[in-house]
Amino acid sequence: MSAGGLLDKPQIIAHTQHSLNYTVFDCKWVPCSARLLCLGNFPRGTGVIQLYELQGGRLNLLREIEKSRPIKCGTFGAASLQQRYLATGDFGGNLNIWNLEAPEIPVYSVKGHKEIINSIDGVGGLGIGEGAPEIVTGSRDGTVKVWDPRQKDFPVANMEPAQGESTRDCWTVAFGNAYNQEERVVCAGYDNGDIKLFDLRNMTLRWETNIKNGVCNVEFDRKDINMNKLVATSLEGKFHVFDMRTQHPTKGFASVSEKAHKSTVWQVRHLPQNRDIFVTSGGAGNLHLWKYEYPAQRSKKDSEGTEMGIAGSVSLLQNVTLSTQPISSLDWSPDKRGLCVCSSFDQTVGSAGRRLVSVILKMDPAEEDYPTEIHDYLSAFETAVGSVDAVLKTMMSVSRSELLQKLDPLEQAKIDLVSAYTLNSMFWVYLATQGINPKEHPVKQELERIRTYMNRVKEIEEKKKAAKLDKGAASRFLRNALYEPKTQSKPAKKSPIPTKKKKTH
């Protein structure tokens, strides 16, 4: 991996196209698979979920599920990778959660809104964000509600217009700021151009603004970090990028806007592997790929000494036209970098056909870009992996039988335990890269078990190294070291000093 920039002109190639006999409102990749879902409604007024698999450049239909009401939107975001449950919002205002292995009856169902659910998002599942596996829904009835599937029938939060305030159609919702167990926000966009940021921890309206035209889509660049950037698209062909790191008390968040398309900007989706790359879809059937450039400094002090944000800039990397009609939904593959699926409405004379388009965005892996703030972590990780690789190569250069012959039983145990601990630690890292929480996986218990045996071996080794006690030598040492005062005797009389006698005459 290098810190270099993305290719100046990445190629956007239509990999496969597939016609549908119904209206498709949303499409989603199934995590950890080459499968995708289409959600919509048949002309007869019923809902449909279709499951496809991408094989050899073709989409093969695996399953079709028909429901009583048209399905408007869906998300996998509130379920674990093991479950991969799909949450959907329908035209009747119902929130349903489906087990795709047994989709006849929803595992969770609630009459969430009085009118159609326009938008849905999930957090807490798939390793995306901390906290409860919550779902947020936005509806034509003007309310935004947050649901915890573990709580039946009632939302855990309900954001609705104040008494006397006019009801606005909520077109889009998105989670963000879910970097620990307590923090998270919901951003909602409305048909009159309002954007509102709700703080779920304090249950307050944290910030609001208006972009003067209907808000078609909002998305944070990442859900599971401190708020970094938010992109909002509008009916008038513009999108706005807000820097969410610094909020000024009166001016709010700094932003940059771009006239992206000649018509409505229906969707914005950030590349899962690089939060500074995002794609927008337009009403003229085109996709635009953008890159956000950070300023030299992301904040400064105003005249009163209060911190305020500084917006960066955006540059167009590539664009392509895939359809003559709006591309209304789009989703990046969370597993395969550069693979996305989108759906559009293609009209012909006298009838309306619908088209699902799978798109591959080709990028050179050697030139992959990533946020600069994680460079030091990646460098340290690369160094650590190199050290592990060198040690493993050294150990594997000698056959196990030959190695064990040269070691005593205690050293053999140490080799086996270190090898097992290393392999399980590397599997821990692999799970984390796949979006699986290793703390909830059996590998955690296995590592704890190995550590227990490593501590036992350490205790044995310390006992072995301890010097044996020679009782005789210790006794002599102590006896000689102890102070024994001698008994005082009477002082001896001093003998007189002889003197010479004087001679007498």
Side-chain angles (χ1 to χ4, degrees), residues 364-375:
D364 184 357
E367 296 293 332
E368 184 175 354
D369 200 6
Y370 56 88
T372 55
E373 59 263 34
I374 66 171
H375 177 77

Side-chain angles (χ1 to χ4, degrees), residues 191-206:
D191 63 346
N192 65 337
D194 282 346
I195 298 176
K196 297 185 178 184
L197 187 69
F198 301 101
D199 187 331
L200 297 186
R201 179 178 182 179
N202 300 312
M203 293 307 297
T204 58
L205 177 62
R206 177 170 173 176

